[in-house]
Every structure is written in structure tokens, then in C-alpha cells.
């Protein structure tokens, strides 16, 4: 995978430092994450069997990953039987070549797109542009990002870092035929986008999408969305090309009963998203192509701890609870996958060769909130710690981590360490650590050490 | 090696020796019992769709009333006497359809685009969608709906009108799909 987000060099601490000084950004992010977080909690609370659904979702994904080769072959057969064509792509370059050739074969120079993280990951729009083909994003937020020459900052609401007056300015400047006297009222802005895009939908002969799920048993592809731009792209053009990561597979039709409950509630915090489209092969006379994308995924699959990241269904719940994401914003992660999932997925997909990717496993406080909300129970803190061990770091930090690992590994050692810490707490400096450990406290305060560890308190109170 | 063979080989290497996983299915397949019609109506209403619950005869009357005087698409197989279907997708005021199944707990209508349900584009492009749901088509849960549906058909799940929250999270109805969804539940 090529380094995505070329406009963003540096590393996570550097990028996030800039972001935390942007008070507008912090306000927008805080409002958005807290609002969605609250909605999610209330609709998840409505389901008494949430824990069972989550366990099933996790197991279905793990079972699929374990048997991915078999299920991919089954999917391929089912899609072909239903009149579709299946292509395989080892990496971004190969996927881009396949899609470009398919578009060229239609003789078209314009394509419409449904929001898709896989095509962002492979930078398909840029690859198409290099061949003289223009790709138009049709999701409202993606349109705002594209017209603003900008990067998405959230999985679900990519333009959340923009406010209404900025959006109005982008529309006035970049959208042809914007209604005169356009206000910054959201309905007015949405109406302007509707007019702008409708013409394009009706004209376009080729569409490109991703998919939320693919069903091996039936060959069915599934797209969840809200606006209807997805339905427009999926149904109106003559040719449909879907680029989908190989991990998006589910074995059986029945498995959708789990994920159609897990995803909308975790994502937008709704009982169900406004529109879900499902299609199997070529339907209603369309020409259908499916491009199956590896691009580093099989490498992630080979890592025993890290492979759980491939369970991710891109709901974005982990972003909305992450104290680090809330302050740093999505751009600091320098990849299409921001937040906690980005911190574990990006360095695995791209490797930790760059400063940015090596810094991502540290973009977390390890508070565990991301694990608690994850609908497929990805233990993000566990993967972070594992990646930290693999990332290149300074000797001191490495030694510190080793000690911490040794202590945390054994509950007796941990209890002893906590007792010692409580005894010497008066001696530990309040803000800055001395010597080689000072690098650690440059960006953090030393946590306050309690007078008594929780374990000891519990013991004492249980005995009493 | 072709890309296909190479990817399959990479997978086989990556998972060699890994243990397989049993899938626990002790979640509920039925979400509610009792008044499914009432629950469905309440949940559809939550999406700011217009919803009516009426006995069959009155439901037919309401549909006829709503369709009269509008340039409405009436798909083949939709039972509506005396109304001619408007032929042009792009100048139609709206569309009237039935559905394949409906889900009470999520307030969702599923179209399989069979008789009386039109093509996918017909229920998408016009600004108004009037949908008739028979009480017997309402199931309680998502698992029950999945069990009833045929994956070889194109399927469209609709939960309320088209909506976006992309601008400062304020909800706006109808960016691309119908801005008004009216559901008539015939009992
Ligand atoms: S890691 Fe879990 S919570 Fe985060 S986006 Fe993926 S599925 Fe959602």
C-alpha cells in the first residue's frame, strides 16, 4: 500500500499538537462524538441480547477469516453464476489498473462513486485522474471533502471538522450553478447538493462502490447508507464496479441477521439506517464487476494478535469514545482509517517503516473504551501493546515497556508493584520524570498514584 | 501465479494451524410478541415518516385519495383501479408500492421489487413514496425478515425517508431519495 495522505508528513504527536490548538475543530469533534455516542448507547440498550449478538458477530468473523480462502472461492462462484465478473487484486496498483481498464472499456470519462474506504485506501480517484477519468464523490460529506480539496476526518461523518459556513463557502466556490443567495442553513446546503448531483447521476454510465458485506453462500453484496446517493449509484448506471476488501466476507445469508443489527446501532446510533441495498450479480440488466482487494490484508491475517483488526465492520463507534481521537481529530492519524481502529489497522496494512506509522500504536491512552463499544469485540488495546513491542523505539522506552509487561503479566507481581508504588508515591515527581524517562512525560503527566491499590482496598473490604 | 492463486495461497499460509471457531447463536430470533402493528407504526413514525393504521377497505380509500390528482407511478401488479400510471420517472410526483416484508422493531420496509413494487429506480427517483404494508407482512425482528427474503432478488431496505446528518450533525430529510415516505398499514 502506498503512503496514503501524502499531504500529511510527520508523526502522530506532531500532527495532533496542531489539531488540539484548533478550538473550532475540538468543539466540532467533541459535539459530534458525544452526540453519536449517546445515541448509540440508547439504541444498544434497547436490545437485551446485545452481548449475544456481539459474541456471534465476533465468532462469525473469526470463522470466516479462518476459512477465508474457501469462502472467497465460494463467493466468486456465486457471483459468476449470477452474471457478475470477479477480479482479484494483490495490491493498490493492481486494483487501480483493473478498475481503470474497466472504465476505459466503457468509453466513459466520468464515474460516480459511493463513499468507500477501500477506494480511498488505494487512492483510486487519483489513479483514475492520471488516466483522464474524473471520479465524483456523491455522499454529501465526501462531496464536501472532495470539493474542499481536503481529507476525511471521521469514518462515518467525514466532513465533521467543517462547519456550515465553511461548507457554504466551499459550495459557492467549487460547485457550478450554486443557487444565488445560498444560505448556510443545512437544508439549503443539502438542497444545493441535491441539484448539483442529480444531474450527474442521470448522466453517468459507470459507478464505483465498496460494500459493507459480501455473502459467500449467495454472492450477495450489501451497502448500508442514509442519503440515497448509494442507491442512485448502484441502480442507475449501466456498469457497476465494486471494490471490496477480502475481509468483508460473511459465510451465509443468515449471518446478515447479526450484522444488520450490530452495524447501524453501533454506527449512526439508529435502529436501522435509512437505506440498505442488496444485490446478487448482474441485476436489472446491469454489467457488474467485483474487485476483491488484498492490499496488505493477508499480511494482517498472518499476525496472530493483529488479525482481529480484520473483524472491523467500520462502524466508527471506537472513534466516538476515544479521548485521544476527540482531541487530536482524524487528520492526525494520516490515514483513511482514523481513531483507535486506524491506530492498529494502518500500521499493520502499511508496515511501520515511516515515522508516522511507527507512532500510531502510541496514539492511545489504552483506556479500553474502544474495546467495550466494539460490536465485534476487537481488543484494540491488546493489539496496540503488541504493535508497540514491534515498533522501532528508543532503548529507554523499550526497557520501560518490558518492565511494565513483566509486571502486568502476573497479578502477584502487579499487586506487589502497586504496593511499592503506594509507599514511594511521595518520592515520585508530580509532573516530569527525570533522566531517560523524561521523554515519556514530555507529552503526559505522571499519573497520580493512589494511597492504596484497588486490589488491597478490595481485599480489606471483602475481609471486613 | 495469477493474483487469484497468489491471494488464496497467502491466506492458506496465514491461517495454517489456526483453530476454527464455533459460532454461538443464542441471540434472539424473535424480538417482540403482541402488537406488532402498533410497534411497527411507532417505529416508522420515529423516522419522521407519515404513518396510518387502517382496516383494509379504508386503507384502499386513503391510497386512492393520495394518488388522485398526482402524477404517480403505479407499478405493474399494484392493485389500484382506474388510475393510469405516470410513465416518466423524472417528472413523476411520486410512486405507490406494496412491499415484501416489514420489520416491527426497526420500523423497516423491505422491497424485493417483485409484482406491485416497481423497479429500484422507481422507488428512488420520485420525491414521494407511498407504501402499503399488509399487517400479515410485518415480522418482529431482523432475523425473521432475513429468513423470509430471497437473496437472488435485488432487495431495498427502507427505514424512513432519505436523510443526512453530514452538516454539523443536523438531520436533513431527503438529499437524494424521496423526501417524504408515507406508510399505510392495512389491517
Ligand atoms: S474497530 Fe470495532 S468499533 Fe472500531 S470501527 Fe471497527 S468495528 Fe467499529
Amino acid at each position: 500500500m502506498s503512503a496514503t495522505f501524502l499531504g500529511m508528513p510527520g508523526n502522530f504527536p506532531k500532527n495532533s499538537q496542531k489539531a488540539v490548538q484548533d478550538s473550532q475543530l475540538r468543539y466540532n469533534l467533541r459535539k459530534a462524538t458525544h452526540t453519536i455516542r449517546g445515541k448509540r448507547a440508547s439504541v444498544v440498550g434497547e436490545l437485551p441480547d446485545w452481548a449475544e449478538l456481539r459474541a456471534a458477530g465476533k465468532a462469525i468473523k473469526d470463522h470466516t477469516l479462518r476459512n477465508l480462502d474457501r469462502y472467497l472461492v465460494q463467493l466468486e462462484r456465486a457471483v459468476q453464476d449470477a452474471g457478475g465478473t470477479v477480479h482479484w487484486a494483490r495490491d493498490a496498483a493492481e486494483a487501480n489498473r483493473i478498475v481503470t481498464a474497466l472504465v476505459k472499456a466503457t468509453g466513459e470519462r466520468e464515474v460516480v462513486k459511493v463513499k468507500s474506504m477501500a477506494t480511498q485506501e488505494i487512492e483510486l480517484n487519483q489513479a483514475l485522474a492520471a488516466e483522464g477519468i474524473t471520479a465524483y464523490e456523491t455522499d454529501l460529506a465526501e462531496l464536501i471533502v472532495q470539493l474542499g480539496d481536503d481529507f476525511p476526518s471521521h469514518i462515518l461523518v467525514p466532513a465533521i471538522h467543517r462547519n456550515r459556513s465553511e461548507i457554504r463557502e466551499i459550495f459557492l466556490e467549487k460547485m457550478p450553478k450554486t443557487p444565488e443567495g445560498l444560505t448556510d442553513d443545512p437544508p439549503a446546503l443539502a438542497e444545493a447538493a441535491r441539484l448539483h448531483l442529480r444531474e450527474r447521476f442521470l448522466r453517468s454510465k459507470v459507478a464505483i462502490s465498496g460494500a459493507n458485506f459480501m455473502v459467500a453462500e449467495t454472492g450477495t453484496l450489501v451497502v448500508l447508507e442514509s442519503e440515497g446517493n448509494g442507491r442512485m449509484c448502484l441502480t442507475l448506471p449501466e456498469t457497476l464496479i465494486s471494490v471490496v476488501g477480502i475481509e468483508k466476507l460473511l459465510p451465509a445469508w443468515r449471518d446478515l441477521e447479526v450484522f444488520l443489527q450490530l452495524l447501524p446501532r453501533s454506527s449512526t446510533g439508529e435502529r436501522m439506517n435509512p437505506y440498505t441495498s442488496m444485490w446478487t450479480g448482474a441485476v436489472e440488466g446491469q454489467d457488474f464487476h467485483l474487485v476483491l482487494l488484498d492490499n496488505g490484508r493477508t499480511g494482517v491475517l498472518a499476525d496472530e494478535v493483529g488479525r482481529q483488526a480484520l473483524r472491523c465492520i467500520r462502524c466508527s463507534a471506537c472513534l466516538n469514545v476515544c479521548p485521544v481521537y476527540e482531541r487530536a481529530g482524524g487528520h492526525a492519524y494520516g490515514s483513511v482509517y482514523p481513531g483507535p481502529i486506524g491506530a492498529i489497522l494502518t500500521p499493520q496494512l502499511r508496515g511501520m517503516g515511516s515515522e508516522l506509522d511507527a507512532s500510531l500504536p502510541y496514539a492511545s491512552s489504552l483506556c479500553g473504551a474502544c474495546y467495550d463499544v466494539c460490536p465485534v469485540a476487537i481488543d484494540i488495546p491488546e493489539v496496540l501493546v503488541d504493535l508497540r513491542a514491534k515498533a522501532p523505539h528508543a532503548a529507554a522506552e523499550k526497557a520501560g515497556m518490558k518492565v511494565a509487561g513483566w509486571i502486568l503479566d502476573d497479578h502477584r507481581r502487579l499487586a506487589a508493584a502497586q504496593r511499592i508504588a503506594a509507599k514511594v508515591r511521595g518520592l515520585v515527581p508530580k509532573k516530569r520524570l527525570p533522566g531517560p524517562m523524561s521523554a515519556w512525560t514530555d507529552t503526559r503527566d505522571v499519573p497520580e498514584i493512589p494511597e492504596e491499590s484497588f486490589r488491597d482496598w478490595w481485599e480489606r473490604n471483602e475481609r471486613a | 501465479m495469477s493474483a487469484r492463486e497468489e491471494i488464496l495461497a497467502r491466506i492458506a499460509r496465514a491461517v495454517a494451524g489456526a483453530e476454527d471457531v464455533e459460532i454461538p447463536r443464542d441471540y434472539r430470533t424473535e424480538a417482540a410478541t403482541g402488537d406488532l402493528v402498533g410497534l411497527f407504526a411507532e417505529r416508522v413514525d420515529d423516522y419522521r415518516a407519515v404513518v396510518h393504521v387502517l382496516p383494509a377497505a379504508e386503507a384502499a380509500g386513503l391510497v386512492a385519495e393520495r394518488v388522485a390528482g398526482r402524477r404517480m407511478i403505479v407499478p405493474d401488479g399494484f392493485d389500484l383501479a382506474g388510475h393510469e400510471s405516470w410513465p416518466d420517472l423524472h417528472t413523476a410526483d411520486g410512486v405507490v408500492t406494496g412491499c415484501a416484508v416489514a420489520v416491527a422493531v426497526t420500523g423497516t420496509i423491505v422491497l424485493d421489487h417483485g409484482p406491485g413494487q416497481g423497479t429500484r429506480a422507481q422507488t428512488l427517483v420520485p420525491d414521494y413514496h407511498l407504501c402499503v404494508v399488509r399487517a400479515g407482512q410485518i415480522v418482529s425482528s431482523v432475523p425473521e425478515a432475513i429468513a423470509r427474503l430471497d437473496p437472488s432478488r435485488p432487495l431495498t431496505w427502507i427505514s424512513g425517508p432519505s436523510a443526512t446528518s453530514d452538516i454539523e450533525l443536523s438531520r436533513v430529510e431527503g438529499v437524494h431519495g424521496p423526501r417524504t415516505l408515507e406508510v399505510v398499514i392495512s389491517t
Side-chain angles (χ1 to χ4, degrees), chain A residues 260-278:
Chain A
L260 287 184
Q261 297 190 72
L262 289 176
L263 182 52
R265 287 180 198 257
S266 300
S267 179
T268 49
E270 293 167 297
R271 297 188 183 104
M272 194 63 97
N273 51 295
Y275 296 135
T276 299
S277 299
M278 304 183 182

Side-chain angles (χ1 to χ4, degrees), chain A residues 49 63 66 76 90 141 163-164 191 194 198 226-227 231 253 255 257 271 274 276 278 280 284 294, chain B residues 4 6 10 18 20 25 27-28 46 123 125 146 151 155 157 159 162 164 166 168 175-176 179:
Chain A
D49 57 340
H63 167 74
R66 173 65 189 81
E76 177 186 48
R90 277 169 278 224
N163 61 34
R164 58 183 76 191
E191 174 74 17
R194 179 182 176 110
R198 186 150 284 231
S226 296
E227 295 171 10
R231 293 180 61 194
W253 171 250
D255 296 326
E257 73 189 18
R271 297 188 183 104
T276 299
M278 304 183 182
T280 302
E284 292 181 348
D294 180 346
Chain B
R4 178 182 188 273
E6 190 170 333
R10 285 178 189 172
D20 209 343
R25 294 208 189 254
Y27 52 84
R28 299 178 312 174
D46 263 3
T123 54
V125 177
I146 288 286
L155 300 170
W157 298 54
S159 309
S162 157
T164 182
D166 282 342
E168 294 185 15
V175 190
H176 303 299
R179 274 180 279 211

Side-chain angles (χ1 to χ4, degrees), chain A residues 23-39 154 157 160-164 186 320 325-327, chain B residues 165-171:
Chain A
S23 60
Q24 175 76 56
L25 175 74
R26 287 192 59 177
Y27 173 81
N28 288 359
L29 277 174
R30 197 188 137 73
K31 185 177 153 221
T33 55
H34 284 248
T35 307
I36 305 174
R37 197 198 287 193
K39 282 173 69 188
H154 191 284
V157 274
I160 199 63
H161 56 290
R162 297 286 199 180
N163 61 34
R164 58 183 76 191
N320 298 328
Y325 173 85
E326 183 185 323
R327 286 163 184 84
Chain B
S165 300
D166 282 342
I167 303 167
E168 294 185 15
L169 285 191
S170 72
R171 188 179 164 102

